Structure formats: structure tokens, C-alpha cells
Amino acid sequence: MRLSRYFLPVLKETPAEAQIVSHRLMLRAGMIKQQSAGIYSWLPLGYKVLRNIERIVHEEQIRAGHIPMLMPTLQSADLWKKSGRYDAYGPEMLRIRDRHDRDMLYGPTNEEMITEIVANYVTSYKALPLTLYHIQWKFRDEVRPRFGVMRGREFLMKDGYNFDVSKEEALHAYNRHLVSYLRTYERMGLQAIPMRADSGPIGGDDTHEFLVLADTGESEVFYDSEVTDLTFGDREIDYDDKAACQAVMDEFTGRYARTDETHDEALFNEIPEERKRVARGIEVGQIFYFGTKYSESFGAMVQNEAGERVPLHMGSHGIGVSRLLGAIIEASHDDNGIIWPEGVTPFHCGIVNLKQGDAEADAACEGLYAALEAEGLEPLYDDRNERAGGKFATMDLIGLPWRITVGPRGLKNGVVELTSRKTGESEEMSPEAAVARVAEIYAPHRSVNAGI
Ligand code: P5A
């Protein structure tokens, strides 16, 4: 993309309404525009990152054997009356009446709808295990929408639902989700710690939230500092292997790590003093096991191996896709702007031309642009007729992890400069070497499957 032809409405001023750094930076970098309280338009740069996050979520869900689909945003109130949640959900639910006076609502979550779908089609244990998911907009009429996309009213969620013949199988699905979520967040450059939590209006006893530690987080959390040493890394895991998934669950949830709702002072005090931590976190996901709560309301039954009709055991599993942009920025920025992790960056590499209009500099930039594209990468070329300082400030603000700077002086010696946004370190090298280096850096971040 050439910046002169892009739509990147960066702001010079710091918007007064934004209280936290991620919200400020998303507005300043021209990523989002508020349309009403807690409702945003996703401008091109923000939309690109949102799409990258979605792609990683899809790839990891598909890797875990879960199946993508798409349900509507608007739902019939009848579904919710069946489960008893129509009244229970309260003022957070946006209720709508259509022209035939039918009660509708903008879905805050999809347990009812998916259970009704599965009850319609699945009759035998042979169709199981089954996990269906979608990435769809949700609406929750939050009392205090704030912090930009972090607590929106309209927000994008990945929500998945598992259907199993027994509690044991459903707990395997729960573990599988935990493993796939660990991988998902790490690919986005985030450490998200699973912590025992409260299930709220979704229901059930088993639930973990995934929290990214940040001072601006809305949840108070209590943990043993040893949990922050755990990383999933690039280990291979067979998602059908129950023992292997359980081992990861035990490893990542075996130490004390809880949200304030489930905090137990006595247990916490058993941790050696120097390892006790009280901090704040951003909830970027949550997994639930709630048994037969919804399947019983919707008659979602199957015949088991013994020929008996049994209700399906279910759980649901959510990732805050749009909230993740805020969480990633909270975890990765400096005074000059955003620092995108390579896994989600909107463009792989910036190209800054120090002397637009200089025949050699222009040609070198065009050459780099074509060579990066030939490597399957997406460069953002700042080809505007602007001062170098302004170009650097824009690149720093929008946070591309790598920048290649091209100027007549370097070109005389056959070199350009490759700069890391994170460390600020620069290295001179030939244009070919710079392209090769950038391609090598992104090699581990390529799509793993495209079968969405
Ligand atoms: C699990 C999937 C559920 O709704 N039903 C389907 C279950 N869980 S949840 O914890 O309530 O939401 C899942 C994730 O969505 C994000 N989230 C939000 N993001 C932005 N703005 C909001 N108002 C908002 N509310 C929830 C969180 O990341 C949460 O973990």
C-alpha cells in the first residue's frame, strides 16, 4: 500500500475523551471512530488488525478440530424465553420489536441459538464430539461503555460451543479450548493467564478467564508469580489426546491464579510471600463447562452407545476479538505509539523515502516494495512529499514492527537502513539483504491453514 493512496486519518492532538493509552493510540492512529457510546467504525488500519486477529483465531480453532459457521446477530426472543434467560439477562440485552410486533433481540451470546440448531440435527453419539464456533458481532448494553473497544456495547466475539455425550468428553473439550487459547494469544504476542473465575449469567461451575496483566485492566487478580514463567511455545499437541490436553490444563492452572470473584485469602496465604501478586488484568477470553443446562431446555438429546437417550453435555468458549486490539496495545506501546507484535501487524514493513522525487531514492523504494510483495509480504510505503521527521512520527505511531529507510546518502554506498520499532536499533545493509531479513522474521508468522 502506498500511503499517498491510503485512508489513514492520524490525529495530531491527543483526544480528550480517551482515558487509557490504547484508546488514545487507536484514535490517534486512525484505527477507529466512535459512532455512538461504545459503538465504533473500524477505519482501514484498525480493520486490518481486526482481520489479522480473526485469522489467528480461526487458524487455531480449526487446528483444534472446531468447525466455523455463522449465526445471525438478531435473535428471536422465543429462544431466550425457552432457556429462561430472556427475563434474567436484564437491561444489558438490547430488545427490538419488528413490524409484526415480534420480540427480537441483538444477541449478546449464542448458547440458545446453537443448542436449538444442534437439537434439530444431531440424534446420535456418532455425530460427536462436535464443537461449532463463529466470529460475530454481539451487543451488550453496558452501563458504562468505556476505554474504546475494550468495553464496547457492540463488539466482536469468537464464541464456540461444544456438544458431547458425557461430562468426561465435555471436560476434554474444555481442556482443548484452554490449549487452543494459549496458542492463540501467544501468536498475538500476548501472555494471557488462565485464572479460575465466576460464571455469571452463562452458568456452570467450571470456568476460567484468560487475563492479560495490565494496570488499566478492569479485573483485580491474585496469583503466584510463578504462573508468569509459563509459556506454551511451539510444542506440538495432539488435540484428540485427552491426557496431553489435561496435562497442559494442570500445568497452566495448577498454581494459584484467580479473579477477585473466586479469590480465597486463606489459600492465597499459602504462597510464599515473595511470590504473591495482586495486580490488574484485561479479560480477553473465558471458557465454561455448564453440563446439560441448555440442552435440557431445548431437548438436545442423543442416543449413547448403550442405546439410551441422554442430554448433551455442553460448554461455551469466548474470545474478545475486538477487545484484543486494546489489550495488545496496552501490553505493547511506548511514548511514540503502538508497537505491533509481528503476528497481528497491519503491514509487515514500512518503507520511508527520505527524499521523495529523487530519482534514485524513488527507484530504490519501488524496488523494495516489489521485492517485499514478491515475498508475500505487505509493505506500507510512505511516498508522501513530507519531511522525514513527520514520516518517522507516523510510522512510530502506527507501530509497524520493521521500517526500511531509504535516502540518497545511503544509496551512494549501496545501503538502506532496517530499523526495529521495538528496540529502535538500526542496521545498514543492501536492499536485497533487508528484504531477505524481513522475510525471515515473518516466516514463523505465516498462515497455517486457510480452510475457513
Ligand atoms: C462464552 C462464549 C460468553 O459470552 N458465551 C459464548 C460465553 N463469555 S463472556 O466472558 O461473557 O464473553 C467472552 C469474551 O468477550 C469479551 N467481551 C467484551 N469485549 C468488548 N466489550 C464488551 N462489552 C465485552 N464483553 C465481553 C471478553 O473478552 C470476554 O472474555
Side-chain angles (χ1 to χ4, degrees):
M1 180 56 66
R2 286 157 214 276
L3 198 45
S4 62
R5 300 195 196 157
Y6 199 44
F7 182 65
L8 184 72
V10 297
L11 306 179
K12 293 236 160 55
E13 310 290 312
T14 299
E17 75 268 27
Q19 299 162 25
I20 60 170
V21 68
S22 57
H23 189 194
R24 276 199 293 279
L25 289 174
M26 286 183 79
L27 293 170
R28 284 192 52 214
M31 296 175 65
I32 51 169
K33 180 185 180 302
Q34 183 175 308
Q35 303 297 155
S36 320
I39 301 179
Y40 291 87
S41 284
W42 293 80
L43 304 180
L45 193 75
Y47 182 56
K48 248 173 160 305
V49 181
L50 189 69
R51 273 298 165 89
N52 285 339
I53 290 175
E54 272 190 76
R55 180 178 46 79
I56 292 174
V57 170
H58 272 303
E59 288 179 0
E60 293 305 327
Q61 287 309 298
I62 290 167
R63 197 205 293 268
H66 305 159
I67 304 171
M69 62 180 292
L70 187 60
M71 289 175 271
T73 53
L74 293 187
Q75 307 188 19
S76 154
D78 292 342
L79 274 176
W80 289 67
K81 287 176 183 160
K82 251 191 173 165
S83 69
R85 285 208 294 180
Y86 190 61
D87 294 325
Y89 219 91
E92 264 194 22
M93 180 184 276
L94 181 65
R95 294 154 208 259
I96 304 162
R97 188 158 289 164
D98 73 8
R99 67 199 294 164
H100 304 292
D101 265 350
R102 280 189 286 250
D103 288 327
M104 310 281 293
L105 56 100
Y106 195 128
T109 176
N110 284 61
E111 279 81 6
E112 283 78 359
M113 188 176 280
I114 193 78
T115 310
E116 194 258 350
I117 292 172
V118 169
N120 256 276
Y121 298 109
V122 175
T123 54
S124 159
Y125 74 94
K126 289 180 189 153
L128 308 176
L130 178 64
T131 295
L132 298 167
Y133 77 92
H134 71 165
I135 299 181
Q136 177 62 291
W137 294 94
K138 304 287 184 289
F139 197 95
R140 293 183 184 175
D141 206 350
E142 305 272 352
V143 208
R144 288 186 66 201
R146 55 182 185 155
F147 302 160
V149 300
M150 203 81 96
R151 179 165 295 281
R153 292 200 296 163
E154 188 187 48
F155 61 96
L156 192 59
M157 191 201 287
K158 169 263 164 181
D159 41 323
Y161 305 86
N162 69 282
F163 297 89
D164 288 281
V165 73
S166 65
K167 176 169 182 179
E168 187 209 339
E169 289 288 327
L171 288 177
H172 173 51
Y174 187 83
N175 294 345
R176 219 169 47 225
H177 279 87
L178 179 119
V179 178
S180 70
Y181 281 22
L182 291 172
R183 290 189 68 114
T184 301
Y185 298 121
E186 281 191 18
R187 281 186 65 188
M188 297 175 190
L190 281 179
Q191 182 174 39
I193 305 169
M195 300 193 186
R196 183 157 287 288
D198 182 69
S199 66
I202 305 291
D205 297 328
D206 286 289
T207 185
H208 283 87
E209 284 182 6
F210 287 78
L211 287 121
V212 173
L213 297 174
D215 294 340
T216 47
E218 291 192 285
S219 320
E220 186 171 39
V221 296
F222 300 81
Y223 61 94
D224 178 336
S225 64
E226 286 194 338
V227 299
T228 56
D229 298 336
L230 297 169
T231 51
F232 190 80
D234 55 8
R235 44 180 124 166
E236 288 292 325
I237 184 140
D238 174 357
Y239 279 104
D240 291 332
D241 183 338
K242 290 192 176 117
C245 292
Q246 182 66 50
V248 175
M249 166 61 82
D250 294 343
E251 178 185 347
F252 280 81
T253 64
R255 295 178 182 76
Y256 193 94
R258 295 185 178 209
T259 65
D260 52 359
E261 304 137 343
T262 55
H263 177 54
D264 179 328
E265 199 61 30
L267 270 181
F268 188 60
N269 284 333
E270 288 175 14
I271 305 169
E273 205 56 41
E274 68 280 7
R275 295 201 331 237
K276 278 189 194 165
R277 296 286 185 280
V278 182
R280 302 199 71 80
I282 302 167
E283 179 204 329
V284 291
Q286 188 163 3
I287 55 177
F288 301 83
Y289 165 72
F290 42 67
T292 58
K293 172 176 163 166
Y294 297 93
S295 48
E296 287 186 18
S297 306
F298 288 91
M301 315 268 289
V302 290
Q303 205 144 54
N304 67 14
E305 235 169 319
E308 303 150 347
R309 265 172 61 82
V310 293
L312 289 167
H313 284 258
M314 291 176 59
S316 70
H317 315 275
I319 293 182
V321 173
S322 49
R323 173 178 287 184
L324 272 165
L325 277 93
I328 292 169
I329 297 172
E330 289 295 327
S332 184
H333 66 270
D334 64 15
D335 289 346
N336 298 327
I338 302 166
I339 306 173
W340 290 116
E342 271 113 10
V344 300
T345 183
F347 294 96
H348 297 105
C349 181
I351 303 172
V352 169
N353 187 343
L354 293 178
K355 199 154 188 209
Q356 209 68 43
D358 175 275
E360 260 188 74
D362 290 0
C365 288
E366 293 296 337
L368 281 165
Y369 191 92
L372 287 164
E373 282 200 324
E375 292 286 349
L377 298 167
E378 248 187 305
L380 179 68
Y381 172 22
D382 192 344
D383 59 343
R384 298 169 306 163
N385 231 330
E386 278 231 4
R387 284 181 309 107
K391 291 188 175 185
F392 290 143
T394 301
M395 283 293 174
D396 282 353
L397 174 64
I398 68 170
L400 309 186
W402 298 93
R403 184 186 82 207
I404 302 176
T405 309
V406 180
R409 205 179 317 153
L411 287 177
K412 281 211 173 66
N413 303 319
V415 295
V416 296
E417 200 178 62
L418 179 65
T419 307
S420 155
R421 173 69 183 84
K422 195 171 180 175
T423 65
E425 280 163 24
S426 293
E427 215 183 306
E428 289 191 335
M429 60 187 82
S430 69
E432 296 73 28
V435 171
R437 176 78 67 81
V438 174
E440 188 188 312
I441 288 165
Y442 282 103
H445 297 282
R446 300 293 172 132
S447 289
V448 287
N449 53 36
I452 298 162

mmCIF file of all heavy atoms in Angstrom, residues 128-155:
data_model
loop_
_atom_site.group_PDB
_atom_site.id
_atom_site.type_symbol
_atom_site.label_atom_id
_atom_site.label_comp_id
_atom_site.label_asym_id
_atom_site.label_seq_id
_atom_site.Cartn_x
_atom_site.Cartn_y
_atom_site.Cartn_z
ATOM 1 N N LEU A 128 -20.738 -37.067 17.430
ATOM 2 C CA LEU A 128 -19.964 -36.343 18.440
ATOM 3 C C LEU A 128 -18.542 -36.900 18.519
ATOM 4 O O LEU A 128 -18.327 -38.031 18.096
ATOM 5 C CB LEU A 128 -20.655 -36.476 19.800
ATOM 6 C CG LEU A 128 -22.141 -36.106 19.802
ATOM 7 C CD1 LEU A 128 -22.734 -36.360 21.172
ATOM 8 C CD2 LEU A 128 -22.337 -34.654 19.395
ATOM 9 N N PRO A 129 -17.597 -36.185 19.074
ATOM 10 C CA PRO A 129 -17.690 -34.845 19.649
ATOM 11 C C PRO A 129 -17.869 -33.781 18.562
ATOM 12 O O PRO A 129 -17.410 -33.962 17.438
ATOM 13 C CB PRO A 129 -16.336 -34.671 20.354
ATOM 14 C CG PRO A 129 -15.396 -35.541 19.585
ATOM 15 C CD PRO A 129 -16.214 -36.719 19.130
ATOM 16 N N LEU A 130 -18.529 -32.700 18.929
ATOM 17 C CA LEU A 130 -18.789 -31.630 17.977
ATOM 18 C C LEU A 130 -18.571 -30.278 18.652
ATOM 19 O O LEU A 130 -19.145 -30.020 19.712
ATOM 20 C CB LEU A 130 -20.242 -31.735 17.499
ATOM 21 C CG LEU A 130 -20.732 -30.656 16.529
ATOM 22 C CD1 LEU A 130 -19.981 -30.717 15.202
ATOM 23 C CD2 LEU A 130 -22.243 -30.810 16.271
ATOM 24 N N THR A 131 -17.721 -29.463 18.047
ATOM 25 C CA THR A 131 -17.587 -28.079 18.521
ATOM 26 C C THR A 131 -17.779 -27.144 17.338
ATOM 27 O O THR A 131 -17.063 -27.234 16.335
ATOM 28 C CB THR A 131 -16.217 -27.820 19.177
ATOM 29 O OG1 THR A 131 -16.116 -28.608 20.366
ATOM 30 C CG2 THR A 131 -16.063 -26.351 19.559
ATOM 31 N N LEU A 132 -18.792 -26.298 17.429
ATOM 32 C CA LEU A 132 -19.093 -25.309 16.393
ATOM 33 C C LEU A 132 -18.767 -23.936 16.950
ATOM 34 O O LEU A 132 -18.973 -23.685 18.128
ATOM 35 C CB LEU A 132 -20.582 -25.377 16.038
ATOM 36 C CG LEU A 132 -21.062 -26.715 15.466
ATOM 37 C CD1 LEU A 132 -22.586 -26.775 15.464
ATOM 38 C CD2 LEU A 132 -20.525 -26.897 14.037
ATOM 39 N N TYR A 133 -18.265 -23.058 16.067
ATOM 40 C CA TYR A 133 -17.999 -21.705 16.556
ATOM 41 C C TYR A 133 -18.265 -20.698 15.453
ATOM 42 O O TYR A 133 -18.328 -21.055 14.273
ATOM 43 C CB TYR A 133 -16.549 -21.576 17.060
ATOM 44 C CG TYR A 133 -15.525 -21.455 15.960
ATOM 45 C CD1 TYR A 133 -15.118 -20.198 15.495
ATOM 46 C CD2 TYR A 133 -14.977 -22.576 15.349
ATOM 47 C CE1 TYR A 133 -14.180 -20.075 14.477
ATOM 48 C CE2 TYR A 133 -14.046 -22.465 14.331
ATOM 49 C CZ TYR A 133 -13.647 -21.219 13.897
ATOM 50 O OH TYR A 133 -12.745 -21.095 12.876
ATOM 51 N N HIS A 134 -18.419 -19.451 15.850
ATOM 52 C CA HIS A 134 -18.449 -18.377 14.854
ATOM 53 C C HIS A 134 -17.772 -17.133 15.425
ATOM 54 O O HIS A 134 -17.483 -17.061 16.619
ATOM 55 C CB HIS A 134 -19.880 -18.086 14.360
ATOM 56 C CG HIS A 134 -20.798 -17.428 15.329
ATOM 57 N ND1 HIS A 134 -21.979 -16.832 14.961
ATOM 58 C CD2 HIS A 134 -20.716 -17.277 16.670
ATOM 59 C CE1 HIS A 134 -22.579 -16.338 16.025
ATOM 60 N NE2 HIS A 134 -21.846 -16.601 17.081
ATOM 61 N N ILE A 135 -17.470 -16.210 14.524
ATOM 62 C CA ILE A 135 -16.946 -14.907 14.934
ATOM 63 C C ILE A 135 -17.995 -13.909 14.475
ATOM 64 O O ILE A 135 -18.197 -13.735 13.272
ATOM 65 C CB ILE A 135 -15.564 -14.625 14.310
ATOM 66 C CG1 ILE A 135 -14.544 -15.681 14.773
ATOM 67 C CG2 ILE A 135 -15.098 -13.214 14.687
ATOM 68 C CD1 ILE A 135 -13.127 -15.493 14.238
ATOM 69 N N GLN A 136 -18.695 -13.323 15.417
ATOM 70 C CA GLN A 136 -19.855 -12.497 15.055
ATOM 71 C C GLN A 136 -19.997 -11.335 16.038
ATOM 72 O O GLN A 136 -19.569 -11.422 17.192
ATOM 73 C CB GLN A 136 -21.109 -13.388 15.062
ATOM 74 C CG GLN A 136 -22.413 -12.692 14.770
ATOM 75 C CD GLN A 136 -22.486 -12.070 13.383
ATOM 76 O OE1 GLN A 136 -21.781 -11.082 13.092
ATOM 77 N NE2 GLN A 136 -23.319 -12.621 12.514
ATOM 78 N N TRP A 137 -20.594 -10.260 15.575
ATOM 79 C CA TRP A 137 -20.838 -9.090 16.424
ATOM 80 C C TRP A 137 -21.861 -9.413 17.494
ATOM 81 O O TRP A 137 -22.822 -10.145 17.252
ATOM 82 C CB TRP A 137 -21.285 -7.896 15.573
ATOM 83 C CG TRP A 137 -20.164 -7.485 14.686
ATOM 84 C CD1 TRP A 137 -19.956 -7.902 13.400
ATOM 85 C CD2 TRP A 137 -19.036 -6.677 15.041
ATOM 86 N NE1 TRP A 137 -18.756 -7.382 12.934
ATOM 87 C CE2 TRP A 137 -18.183 -6.625 13.919
ATOM 88 C CE3 TRP A 137 -18.666 -5.981 16.191
ATOM 89 C CZ2 TRP A 137 -16.982 -5.917 13.912
ATOM 90 C CZ3 TRP A 137 -17.466 -5.273 16.191
ATOM 91 C CH2 TRP A 137 -16.642 -5.246 15.059
ATOM 92 N N LYS A 138 -21.613 -8.865 18.668
ATOM 93 C CA LYS A 138 -22.514 -9.037 19.807
ATOM 94 C C LYS A 138 -22.914 -7.647 20.271
ATOM 95 O O LYS A 138 -22.206 -6.668 20.015
ATOM 96 C CB LYS A 138 -21.780 -9.729 20.968
ATOM 97 C CG LYS A 138 -21.160 -11.069 20.612
ATOM 98 C CD LYS A 138 -22.215 -12.138 20.453
ATOM 99 C CE LYS A 138 -21.614 -13.510 20.199
ATOM 100 N NZ LYS A 138 -21.008 -13.665 18.861
ATOM 101 N N PHE A 139 -24.024 -7.595 21.008
ATOM 102 C CA PHE A 139 -24.402 -6.319 21.620
ATOM 103 C C PHE A 139 -24.738 -6.540 23.078
ATOM 104 O O PHE A 139 -25.543 -7.421 23.405
ATOM 105 C CB PHE A 139 -25.595 -5.677 20.897
ATOM 106 C CG PHE A 139 -25.738 -4.216 21.227
ATOM 107 C CD1 PHE A 139 -25.187 -3.245 20.414
ATOM 108 C CD2 PHE A 139 -26.386 -3.814 22.393
ATOM 109 C CE1 PHE A 139 -25.292 -1.887 20.732
ATOM 110 C CE2 PHE A 139 -26.491 -2.460 22.725
ATOM 111 C CZ PHE A 139 -25.940 -1.502 21.888
ATOM 112 N N ARG A 140 -24.098 -5.773 23.944
ATOM 113 C CA ARG A 140 -24.443 -5.767 25.362
ATOM 114 C C ARG A 140 -24.543 -4.306 25.770
ATOM 115 O O ARG A 140 -23.578 -3.551 25.611
ATOM 116 C CB ARG A 140 -23.381 -6.494 26.203
ATOM 117 C CG ARG A 140 -23.334 -7.985 25.896
ATOM 118 C CD ARG A 140 -22.342 -8.755 26.753
ATOM 119 N NE ARG A 140 -22.312 -10.152 26.304
ATOM 120 C CZ ARG A 140 -21.481 -11.075 26.765
ATOM 121 N NH1 ARG A 140 -20.598 -10.761 27.705
ATOM 122 N NH2 ARG A 140 -21.523 -12.320 26.293
ATOM 123 N N ASP A 141 -25.702 -3.959 26.274
ATOM 124 C CA ASP A 141 -25.937 -2.546 26.580
ATOM 125 C C ASP A 141 -25.297 -2.212 27.930
ATOM 126 O O ASP A 141 -25.986 -1.974 28.918
ATOM 127 C CB ASP A 141 -27.447 -2.259 26.574
ATOM 128 C CG ASP A 141 -27.739 -0.805 26.253
ATOM 129 O OD1 ASP A 141 -26.775 0.000 26.224
ATOM 130 O OD2 ASP A 141 -28.909 -0.478 26.034
ATOM 131 N N GLU A 142 -23.969 -2.212 27.923
ATOM 132 C CA GLU A 142 -23.185 -1.981 29.143
ATOM 133 C C GLU A 142 -23.572 -0.639 29.769
ATOM 134 O O GLU A 142 -23.780 0.337 29.045
ATOM 135 C CB GLU A 142 -21.689 -1.937 28.800
ATOM 136 C CG GLU A 142 -21.166 -3.170 28.058
ATOM 137 C CD GLU A 142 -20.720 -4.259 29.005
ATOM 138 O OE1 GLU A 142 -20.659 -4.020 30.224
ATOM 139 O OE2 GLU A 142 -20.444 -5.378 28.512
ATOM 140 N N VAL A 143 -23.639 -0.594 31.111
ATOM 141 C CA VAL A 143 -23.960 0.672 31.774
ATOM 142 C C VAL A 143 -22.887 1.701 31.474
ATOM 143 O O VAL A 143 -23.169 2.859 31.214
ATOM 144 C CB VAL A 143 -23.960 0.557 33.328
ATOM 145 C CG1 VAL A 143 -24.893 1.569 33.948
ATOM 146 C CG2 VAL A 143 -24.202 -0.838 33.815
ATOM 147 N N ARG A 144 -21.612 1.239 31.548
ATOM 148 C CA ARG A 144 -20.514 2.180 31.334
ATOM 149 C C ARG A 144 -19.598 1.684 30.229
ATOM 150 O O ARG A 144 -18.544 1.132 30.497
ATOM 151 C CB ARG A 144 -19.707 2.318 32.631
ATOM 152 C CG ARG A 144 -20.439 3.092 33.712
ATOM 153 C CD ARG A 144 -19.526 3.324 34.898
ATOM 154 N NE ARG A 144 -18.404 4.203 34.568
ATOM 155 C CZ ARG A 144 -17.271 4.251 35.272
ATOM 156 N NH1 ARG A 144 -17.098 3.465 36.314
ATOM 157 N NH2 ARG A 144 -16.311 5.088 34.930
ATOM 158 N N PRO A 145 -20.017 1.883 28.960
ATOM 159 C CA PRO A 145 -19.081 1.535 27.900
ATOM 160 C C PRO A 145 -17.888 2.473 28.030
ATOM 161 O O PRO A 145 -18.065 3.669 28.248
ATOM 162 C CB PRO A 145 -19.858 1.799 26.613
ATOM 163 C CG PRO A 145 -20.985 2.688 26.991
ATOM 164 C CD PRO A 145 -21.256 2.485 28.442
ATOM 165 N N ARG A 146 -16.693 1.949 27.967
ATOM 166 C CA ARG A 146 -15.541 2.861 28.119
ATOM 167 C C ARG A 146 -14.266 2.220 27.604
ATOM 168 O O ARG A 146 -14.243 1.042 27.253
ATOM 169 C CB ARG A 146 -15.366 3.274 29.570
ATOM 170 C CG ARG A 146 -15.245 2.089 30.512
ATOM 171 C CD ARG A 146 -15.132 2.573 31.937
ATOM 172 N NE ARG A 146 -14.909 1.413 32.797
ATOM 173 C CZ ARG A 146 -14.329 1.461 33.961
ATOM 174 N NH1 ARG A 146 -13.864 2.587 34.429
ATOM 175 N NH2 ARG A 146 -14.172 0.372 34.689
ATOM 176 N N PHE A 147 -13.229 3.006 27.579
ATOM 177 C CA PHE A 147 -11.910 2.548 27.136
ATOM 178 C C PHE A 147 -11.941 2.077 25.683
ATOM 179 O O PHE A 147 -11.269 1.122 25.315
ATOM 180 C CB PHE A 147 -11.387 1.424 28.033
ATOM 181 C CG PHE A 147 -11.262 1.785 29.494
ATOM 182 C CD1 PHE A 147 -11.214 0.786 30.461
ATOM 183 C CD2 PHE A 147 -11.168 3.109 29.904
ATOM 184 C CE1 PHE A 147 -11.077 1.105 31.817
ATOM 185 C CE2 PHE A 147 -11.038 3.445 31.246
ATOM 186 C CZ PHE A 147 -10.991 2.437 32.201
ATOM 187 N N GLY A 148 -12.759 2.719 24.852
ATOM 188 C CA GLY A 148 -12.773 2.383 23.432
ATOM 189 C C GLY A 148 -13.300 0.978 23.204
ATOM 190 O O GLY A 148 -14.342 0.597 23.738
ATOM 191 N N VAL A 149 -12.544 0.182 22.425
ATOM 192 C CA VAL A 149 -13.027 -1.157 22.070
ATOM 193 C C VAL A 149 -12.925 -2.131 23.245
ATOM 194 O O VAL A 149 -13.401 -3.262 23.159
ATOM 195 C CB VAL A 149 -12.252 -1.728 20.865
ATOM 196 C CG1 VAL A 149 -12.434 -0.827 19.654
ATOM 197 C CG2 VAL A 149 -10.767 -1.908 21.183
ATOM 198 N N MET A 150 -12.320 -1.691 24.316
ATOM 199 C CA MET A 150 -12.100 -2.578 25.457
ATOM 200 C C MET A 150 -13.416 -2.975 26.126
ATOM 201 O O MET A 150 -13.633 -4.117 26.471
ATOM 202 C CB MET A 150 -11.218 -1.843 26.458
ATOM 203 C CG MET A 150 -10.480 -2.752 27.358
ATOM 204 S SD MET A 150 -9.029 -3.386 26.558
ATOM 205 C CE MET A 150 -7.831 -2.256 27.187
ATOM 206 N N ARG A 151 -14.274 -2.000 26.379
ATOM 207 C CA ARG A 151 -15.618 -2.302 26.860
ATOM 208 C C ARG A 151 -16.594 -1.588 25.956
ATOM 209 O O ARG A 151 -16.991 -0.448 26.203
ATOM 210 C CB ARG A 151 -15.804 -1.898 28.322
ATOM 211 C CG ARG A 151 -17.219 -2.175 28.846
ATOM 212 C CD ARG A 151 -17.319 -2.112 30.346
ATOM 213 N NE ARG A 151 -16.527 -3.166 30.946
ATOM 214 C CZ ARG A 151 -16.898 -4.451 31.058
ATOM 215 N NH1 ARG A 151 -18.074 -4.833 30.611
ATOM 216 N NH2 ARG A 151 -16.106 -5.336 31.602
ATOM 217 N N GLY A 152 -16.937 -2.238 24.857
ATOM 218 C CA GLY A 152 -17.855 -1.648 23.900
ATOM 219 C C GLY A 152 -19.271 -2.105 24.203
ATOM 220 O O GLY A 152 -19.509 -2.910 25.097
ATOM 221 N N ARG A 153 -20.223 -1.552 23.465
ATOM 222 C CA ARG A 153 -21.580 -2.111 23.510
ATOM 223 C C ARG A 153 -21.710 -3.089 22.339
ATOM 224 O O ARG A 153 -22.161 -4.206 22.508
ATOM 225 C CB ARG A 153 -22.620 -0.991 23.427
ATOM 226 C CG ARG A 153 -22.596 -0.112 24.701
ATOM 227 C CD ARG A 153 -23.862 0.662 24.865
ATOM 228 N NE ARG A 153 -24.043 1.619 23.772
ATOM 229 C CZ ARG A 153 -25.202 2.194 23.487
ATOM 230 N NH1 ARG A 153 -26.288 1.910 24.190
ATOM 231 N NH2 ARG A 153 -25.277 3.080 22.504
ATOM 232 N N GLU A 154 -21.270 -2.656 21.154
ATOM 233 C CA GLU A 154 -21.176 -3.597 20.040
ATOM 234 C C GLU A 154 -19.735 -4.069 19.982
ATOM 235 O O GLU A 154 -18.823 -3.240 19.953
ATOM 236 C CB GLU A 154 -21.556 -2.909 18.723
ATOM 237 C CG GLU A 154 -21.653 -3.877 17.567
ATOM 238 C CD GLU A 154 -21.867 -3.169 16.231
ATOM 239 O OE1 GLU A 154 -21.142 -2.196 15.945
ATOM 240 O OE2 GLU A 154 -22.731 -3.591 15.484
ATOM 241 N N PHE A 155 -19.518 -5.371 20.007
ATOM 242 C CA PHE A 155 -18.140 -5.861 19.980
ATOM 243 C C PHE A 155 -18.093 -7.207 19.270
ATOM 244 O O PHE A 155 -19.102 -7.906 19.147
ATOM 245 C CB PHE A 155 -17.556 -5.962 21.395
ATOM 246 C CG PHE A 155 -18.299 -6.915 22.307
ATOM 247 C CD1 PHE A 155 -17.863 -8.227 22.466
ATOM 248 C CD2 PHE A 155 -19.433 -6.502 22.989
ATOM 249 C CE1 PHE A 155 -18.549 -9.108 23.298
ATOM 250 C CE2 PHE A 155 -20.135 -7.383 23.823
ATOM 251 C CZ PHE A 155 -19.685 -8.691 23.982
#
